[in-house]
Amino acid sequence: MKEKIISFKITNKNMPYNYEGMAKLNKDILEFNDNDYDYIFDFGIKRLIKSNKDNKIIIDFDKEEIIIENEKKLALKIKVLEYSFEENRVFVKYLIDKEEISLLLDIKEVEV
């Protein structure tokens, strides 16, 4: 696995998120940890997983659904409005109910 510097932003009304720091990249899998959460972005199957010891959130952009697993399992449908994947950048815009959410991942060229 190669270590890279990344910028990861989620833009929405209620809980915007921003991370800049180190990540591990292995082919189509990018992994990083922030505030006791593990994040895994799988570019091959267009899936983002956010997990800790108590719960797991899986956003599957191909199947257009979010699965929340804790003591119970909840599945929500989403509508992917835009998905672009370039060599060092992923941009996704999707709707949950009527709220639009944007996700931007930039991978810096600098290897550490």
Side-chain angles (χ1 to χ4, degrees), residues 98-112:
K98 295 181 180 173
E99 183 176 351
E100 190 173 290
I101 298 172
S102 296
L103 179 149
L104 177 63
L105 171 65
D106 280 315
I107 303 169
K108 309 293 191 239
E109 284 294 328
V110 180
E111 287 188 30
V112 178

Side-chain angles (χ1 to χ4, degrees), residues 75-102:
L76 304 168
K77 291 308 268 177
I78 64 173
K79 174 72 176 157
V80 176
L81 302 173
E82 183 178 346
Y83 186 98
S84 64
F85 175 64
E86 300 168 15
E87 184 176 340
N88 292 317
R89 175 176 265 215
V90 176
F91 178 75
V92 183
K93 186 183 290 187
Y94 60 98
L95 285 174
I96 299 177
D97 290 328
K98 295 181 180 173
E99 183 176 351
E100 190 173 290
I101 298 172
S102 296

Side-chain angles (χ1 to χ4, degrees), residues 24-54:
K24 293 178 182 174
L25 180 64
N26 185 15
K27 295 186 182 184
D28 288 344
I29 309 286
L30 181 102
E31 299 178 41
F32 67 95
N33 181 280
D34 185 33
N35 295 326
D36 296 327
Y37 279 94
D38 295 315
Y39 293 81
I40 300 171
F41 201 118
D42 188 326
F43 306 117
I45 58 174
K46 299 180 184 176
R47 183 179 293 160
L48 173 65
I49 300 171
K50 175 184 176 182
S51 64
N52 67 10
K53 62 182 174 96
D54 298 320

